[in-house]
């Protein structure tokens, strides 16, 4: 059984396709899809889906890339600090 991620409530001129794309990227990432595959899917969406859906999907992929980079930077900083403390 799978659960569908619900998108946020939409008001005003916001496009529901944008949030559907974000939700799908979120689900794909949580299902364990690697980042390079998410990038490939985002590029495919530009060619084959509604532009707002593709924009939403890619927006979430960019957030995931930033989150991954921030975590990597933090882990590197912690490892470097621990090595300096051991050397002292």
């Amino acid at each position: 059984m799978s659960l569908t991620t619900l998108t946020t409530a939409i008001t005003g001129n916001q496009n529901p396709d944008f949030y559907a794309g974000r939700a799908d990227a979120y689900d794909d990432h949580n299902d364990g899809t690697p980042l390079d595959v998410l990038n490939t899917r985002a590029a495919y969406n530009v060619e084959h889906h509604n532009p707002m859906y593709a924009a939403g999907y890619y927006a979430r992929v960019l957030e995931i890339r930033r989150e991954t980079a921030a975590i990597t930077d933090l882990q590197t900083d912690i490892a470097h600090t621990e090595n300096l403390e051991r050397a002292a």
Side-chain angles (χ1 to χ4, degrees):
M1 172 189 247
S2 83
L3 297 174
T4 302
T5 300
L6 300 175
T7 59
T8 58
I10 298 172
T11 59
N13 292 329
Q14 298 170 333
N15 191 312
D17 292 333
F18 179 83
Y19 295 98
R22 287 183 58 82
D24 286 347
Y26 178 87
D27 288 341
D28 290 346
H29 177 64
N30 281 345
D31 289 342
T33 305
L35 189 55
D36 58 336
V37 174
L38 291 175
N39 284 322
T40 302
R41 287 181 185 173
Y44 176 84
N45 288 335
V46 169
E47 300 278 331
H48 301 282
H49 283 283
N50 176 307
M52 289 306 293
Y53 176 89
Y57 195 97
Y58 194 65
R60 181 61 191 134
V61 170
L62 287 176
E63 288 175 4
I64 294 166
R65 289 173 63 186
R66 285 187 215 112
E67 291 166 2
T68 303
I71 290 169
T72 301
D73 288 347
L74 181 61
Q75 289 173 337
T76 301
D77 189 45
I78 290 170
H80 179 70
T81 303
E82 288 175 355
N83 285 339
L84 287 176
E85 289 172 357
R86 285 187 202 137

